Amino acid sequence: MSRSSTYQYYLSLTEHPYSHLIDTLNDGVKFFNPQKLNDPRYGKLPLSIRVLLEAAIRKCDGFYVKEEDVQNYLDWQEQQNVAEVPFPPSRVLLQDFTGIPAMVDLAAMRDALVKHGVDPYRVNPVCPTDLIVDHSLQIDFKTALKSQEMELIRNKERLQFFKWCSKAFQNVNVVPPDVGAVHQVNLEHLCRVVHVSDGLVYPDSVVGTDSHTTMINGLGVLGWGVGGIEAEAVMLGQPVALTLPQVVGCKLEGSINPLTTSIDVVLGITKHLRQANIAGRFVEFFGPGVSQLSVPDRTTIANMCPEYNATVSFFPIDQVTLKHFNKTSDQEKLELLESYMKAVNLFRTYEDSEEDPPGTVLFLQVIEIQLSSFIPYVSGPKRPQDRVAVSDMKVDFHSCLKEKVGFKGFHVAPDRLQTQVPFQHAGQEYQLAHGSLVIAAVISCTNNCNPSVMLAAGLLAKKAVEAGLGVKPYIRTSLAPGTGMVTQYLNTSGVLPFLSQLGFEVIGYGCATCVGNTAPLPEGVADAIKQGNLVACGVLSGNRHFEGRLFNCVSANYLASPPLVVAYAIAGTVDIDFEKEPLGVTPEGKEVFLRDVWPSREEVQQMEEDTVVSSIFQELNSRMEKGNALWSNLECPETAVFPWDQKSTYIRQPAFFHKLSKEVQPPRSIEHAHALLFLGNKVTTDHISPAGSISRVSAAAKYLLSKRLTPREFNSYGARRGNDAVMTRGTFASIKLMNRFIGKSGPKTLHIPSGQTLDVFEAAERYQREGIPLIILAGKDYGSGSSRDWVAKGPCLLGVRAIIAESFQKLHQTQLLGMGILPLSFLPGQTADSLELSGKEKFSISLPEELALGHALTVQTSEGKSFGVTALIDSEMDLIYYRHGGLLPYVARTMI
């Protein structure tokens, strides 16, 4: 435990192996300057690798981080995708669903130390840890005779535990409920970019228990998502073990089309990267085009990492980033940030081609993307996958009119193509034709929640009104913001009144046009459409627009960005070429084109920084300062060890330390084990540990019923991650689990000695009473999917000693070792079927006293067969964890 802070000890005695690299900024703050190595390799490293290198230098203690690790980072060109390296991040980010089991483990570890006569206060996270309570807030209301008072029926136990953690543990910062979502809080409040501790400055970096942790890379902070067990390891002072990553450069060139929105750019870049086959790699952006992307653009692109399977998408800090931080940091911090980043050569000037490969930085490969290739699209007229370039809209619509009825065609007779139908509305005569717009809805949900596109719609409305344009009164216009925050920033920026003048009034905060909740069309409009059998149109910025969905007589509907919805509403038709035809004519007879009123990216970005970023930051700070009244008034014990409530069904002391001894017992051979499950390919973490609602007929439900809870009170597995009794019963409880012993999907298995079909938990419990060890047989890609700590903890508590599969998801393989479960792979070309295993045999696996990395082992069956397997242990730390029976016993033993 103390080794992780050894570098501070070295510093005080000037005995750090890299003390000669210590440098000083003008204000006297010290830092490790890798440039003082005078090693030409440093200048050729991608900036993301430089962040990893700095952490290795600073944390080099000869144990967790060695000097040879530093050399491997410097030798990135030769060692990428080969060398195993440690990465000690600056902090850990937890949300409550994934954070509660980690904190429960630490609380239980304190109990274990007390039993061994050790001071419980020795158990504290070494790495600063932020826990945001945002995922599980559920509030029930109780009506009294004279008033309504709020009761935290479902959350009280969890919140009391979190509050105890915030007081009992050092290095734990709990952000209470009602402050904000985890990633917003991370971006706008927790993000440090640089840390200053004990007079030492170093880059911010983070690992989080959520796949969207990658958003932070848009701010120049290196971070990604890990599993709960890996996060616990980092909290307790262990570095993240990773294969030295390959880094792909993504060069952005050219200028963005004036009509192209941020959403178009984000989705365009995502599509390019998805097609580039960059799974598991770092992506680092460079090139002059990056400076055209705002910070929200960058964080959105970084957030899409799971979409294109990259580990991170890193945007090094530049002037745009500094401008953003000017809204969220004081001047002193900003000056420190800039001077430090430039001193260690982590600052990027995107317009400077000398910084691009094949100049100073060498990437594995370079993906070049021309920003000018991104053009605005709409989708329709009947399906969201049918994309149409706005420049081709007029031609494509005419084609749709003529085509036979189908996904795009309406088969209008040639003699009916020019049909026009006059009608009266509010005492004035108008005409409708094919393509006439009758519904226009601006909705800021799903992909159109980006503030830039909503502000662009507002700015376009402002410019159009000021130019003298309007929207015909018979068009059903509406504005449905996704949240009140959208209304707030539209109002603060001053554009909301102009949207209102064009008919886009705020109608509320819920699903409307997408689900067919449009108000009836004016009677004259509906009659004219029917009379002329017209292909009338609707345009919306939502996500659903199938034929007839918006309104039964509106057959052509298009999805478009919010500013394009406003533009088409002003034009009154989709039968328009915006480049050649005017958007409208002023009362004075002047033609106004779309290009005349379309806001520039610079205008939108400036407004976004001035209103959205500032208002979000100010509101977040205000919430942080005010705190949560319920949280502030919540009572919690002030004790060194947590007083477990035996009646609690949310927080329970786990069994991981019940048999902890000071002496390390080498892993025992597995003798005469039965297979708990016989599984096929693609068993995901959702199959192993579902996170959804608790079925009323599940083993977990039986347990909760025994605690006198009603089904209404069951809640979800995610909310009950602090109770090992629920989570163990929920292991392999997915209704989609396909167990070959049963032959159909469901959370059942065969208790082989008796031949009975039981819930998986009940079978495992019986095996444990009988003293029979367990294994699991599986196919390819075992453990794929989102990381979840209980996918390893659950099988451990069920008594599973080993899993034999054709292949494992890499992260899950490490998680299993972290819980003392041995992942074994069949030899190449072999499977359970090729070996003719029924799964009902008994299995014995002899383990040598000195198990090594990648050790070859032999499995013997009760049927007289034997076959080889490989122990998938790839790093020394994983081997240490397995020898100790898992990460938690290992850390506890270092203190007793």
Side-chain angles (χ1 to χ4, degrees), residues 157-175:
E157 295 172 38
R158 282 172 289 166
L159 294 181
Q160 283 181 323
F161 175 71
F162 284 140
K163 192 162 186 177
W164 174 82
C165 291
S166 69
K167 294 177 176 293
F169 291 111
Q170 297 176 4
N171 281 332
V172 173
N173 170 46
V174 177
V175 177

Side-chain angles (χ1 to χ4, degrees), residues 426-443:
Q428 190 169 347
E429 185 174 293
Y430 299 93
Q431 285 191 334
L432 290 184
H434 296 298
S436 290
L437 199 72
V438 294
I439 297 174
V442 173
I443 304 164

Side-chain angles (χ1 to χ4, degrees), residues 518-764:
T518 303
L521 297 178
E523 187 175 341
V525 172
D527 289 344
I529 294 172
K530 295 173 183 176
Q531 178 185 336
N533 198 19
L534 298 175
V535 180
C537 296
V539 179
L540 69 155
S541 62
N543 57 8
R544 291 290 184 272
H545 69 317
F546 302 115
E547 186 175 11
R549 184 183 180 103
L550 274 59
F551 201 75
N552 55 14
C553 65
V554 181
S555 51
N557 300 300
Y558 291 89
L559 301 181
S561 66
L564 282 175
V565 172
V566 176
Y568 278 114
I570 295 170
T573 180
V574 300
D575 186 10
I576 182 174
D577 184 334
F578 284 131
E579 184 62 32
K580 299 176 181 178
E581 300 174 70
L583 194 64
V585 180
T586 68
E588 296 77 27
K590 180 184 176 182
E591 292 184 340
V592 179
F593 288 81
L594 181 59
R595 57 180 173 270
D596 299 326
V597 295
W598 189 271
S600 68
R601 287 184 62 79
E602 291 74 21
E603 287 179 285
V604 174
Q605 289 179 358
Q606 187 63 53
M607 181 171 283
E608 189 172 19
E609 287 287 346
D610 291 343
T611 60
V612 182
V613 174
S614 295
S615 62
I616 288 176
F617 179 71
Q618 290 169 5
E619 181 182 346
L620 191 59
N621 268 356
S622 175
R623 285 174 178 251
M624 293 291 293
E625 290 172 5
K626 291 179 181 177
N628 181 293
L630 292 168
W631 175 263
S632 300
N633 296 328
L634 195 65
E635 295 181 357
C636 75
E638 297 189 10
T639 55
V641 295
F642 186 70
W644 307 96
D645 182 356
Q646 300 303 315
K647 297 179 181 179
S648 174
T649 58
Y650 279 103
I651 308 294
R652 193 178 111 124
Q653 184 182 26
F656 302 130
F657 303 100
H658 287 354
K659 297 180 181 179
L660 180 69
S661 64
K662 187 172 183 179
E663 300 299 323
V664 181
Q665 299 295 328
R668 296 174 289 107
S669 294
I670 301 171
E671 301 289 346
H672 309 300
H674 271 304
L676 177 63
L677 298 160
F678 191 1
L679 306 171
N681 299 331
K682 299 282 185 184
V683 174
T684 70
T685 51
D686 284 329
H687 291 121
I688 302 169
S689 183
S693 59
I694 298 173
S695 167
R696 297 188 179 195
V697 295
S698 65
K702 295 174 185 175
Y703 167 80
L704 293 173
L705 288 170
S706 74
K707 298 295 183 180
R708 299 186 177 181
L709 297 184
T710 65
R712 181 175 175 272
E713 299 171 300
F714 284 176
N715 213 323
S716 66
Y717 286 113
R720 294 191 178 274
R721 285 182 177 176
N723 186 329
D724 65 309
V726 172
M727 297 308 294
T728 306
R729 286 167 172 80
T731 303
F732 298 109
S734 169
I735 60 173
K736 295 182 179 180
L737 181 74
M738 183 60 73
N739 179 10
R740 293 173 64 175
F741 286 150
I742 303 302
K744 61 180 180 179
S745 61
K748 301 285 184 179
T749 196
L750 182 69
H751 178 253
I752 295 171
S754 67
Q756 286 184 282
T757 297
L758 304 171
D759 286 331
V760 174
F761 171 78
E762 293 171 348

Side-chain angles (χ1 to χ4, degrees), residues 89-156:
S90 301
R91 58 189 175 96
V92 175
L93 180 70
L94 307 173
Q95 39 92 333
D96 46 353
F97 267 18
T98 53
I100 200 164
M103 301 313 299
V104 164
D105 288 346
L106 292 187
M109 192 181 294
R110 281 195 170 184
D111 290 322
L113 260 62
V114 169
K115 291 179 181 178
H116 285 82
V118 179
D119 181 5
Y121 282 110
R122 289 194 63 188
V123 178
N124 283 294
V126 174
C127 187
T129 301
D130 297 303
L131 192 157
I132 294 86
V133 183
D134 77 326
H135 269 53
S136 60
L137 186 61
Q138 295 174 329
I139 298 176
D140 292 343
F141 291 88
K142 177 181 177 182
T143 304
L145 290 176
K146 296 183 179 180
S147 65
Q148 281 191 335
E149 64 176 356
M150 200 178 301
E151 288 194 329
L152 299 169
I153 296 174
R154 292 178 173 174
N155 286 287
K156 187 174 181 179

Side-chain angles (χ1 to χ4, degrees), residues 279-298:
R281 295 172 178 171
F282 282 17
V283 177
E284 188 168 306
F285 288 85
F286 70 100
V290 180
S291 58
Q292 298 179 54
L293 302 180
S294 67
V295 165
D297 292 341
R298 299 177 189 190

